[in-house]
Amino acid sequence: MPIKLENVGIAVRDLEETIAFFTDLGLTVMGRDTVSGEWADTAVGLDGNHAKIAVLQTPDGHGQLELFEYLHPDAIETSPTLPNEIGMHRVAFSVDDIDAALEIAAKHGCTPLRGVANYQDIYKLTYLRGPSGILVMLAQEVKGH
């Protein structure tokens, strides 16, 4: 059976803030909608499911994020995910210039958890906390690899 990853879905506190963050990093909004009704209740497993959604795509056309802000039921605030917690973890992006990407992230109040690491002279990479506490990994391939 062939299988293909469609997107990564992320519930967010503020859809517009999160769209601004990811579009500034280079993703493009492919579509927006508000979803509700019996089909949405059944698919997601929540009665009265009602959410604003946006689908964003990476410039290479392969990766997509589906962001959703719940209108009903109320969103449940949780502590931000830690790097060693079990469960949905982070979203990772390759970038051409990690310093430029971090400057963009900083304009949104998002900075590395600790700093930028060099992995075996193959990648420079970092984790940062994006809007709604989303863990975002940025990685830049070191020239020559």
Side-chain angles (χ1 to χ4, degrees):
M1 175 185 85
I3 189 167
K4 179 177 114 179
L5 180 66
E6 287 296 322
N7 63 50
V8 174
I10 305 173
V12 300
R13 185 178 302 112
D14 183 321
L15 187 63
E16 298 308 318
E17 172 187 54
T18 309
I19 288 171
F21 174 79
F22 285 114
T23 57
D24 281 356
L25 283 175
L27 279 73
T28 303
V29 176
M30 298 303 293
R32 292 168 164 259
D33 203 355
T34 300
V35 298
S36 63
E38 186 177 335
W39 74 268
D41 293 0
T42 300
V44 176
L46 288 173
D47 291 332
N49 182 39
H50 189 193
K52 296 187 293 186
I53 66 169
V55 176
L56 285 69
Q57 185 165 306
T58 57
D60 65 2
H62 295 294
Q64 289 189 345
L65 295 180
E66 181 177 323
L67 306 174
F68 37 96
E69 178 184 333
Y70 274 94
L71 304 173
H72 186 270
D74 290 339
I76 300 169
E77 287 286 339
T78 59
S79 298
T81 303
L82 296 175
N84 61 335
E85 284 186 66
I86 301 297
M88 189 56 150
H89 196 257
R90 57 142 173 83
V91 59
F93 297 97
S94 296
V95 296
D96 291 337
D97 184 339
I98 198 165
D99 294 324
L102 287 172
E103 285 178 23
I104 291 167
K107 291 177 184 175
H108 294 269
C110 305
T111 58
L113 298 184
R114 184 163 294 166
V116 176
N118 182 315
Y119 174 70
Q120 300 181 356
D121 287 329
I122 300 171
Y123 289 102
K124 291 196 287 186
L125 55 94
T126 190
Y127 277 31
L128 59 90
R129 187 123 357 242
S132 297
I134 301 166
L135 274 176
V136 177
M137 186 183 93
L138 300 174
Q140 175 189 332
E141 189 172 2
V142 174
K143 299 297 180 218
H145 279 291

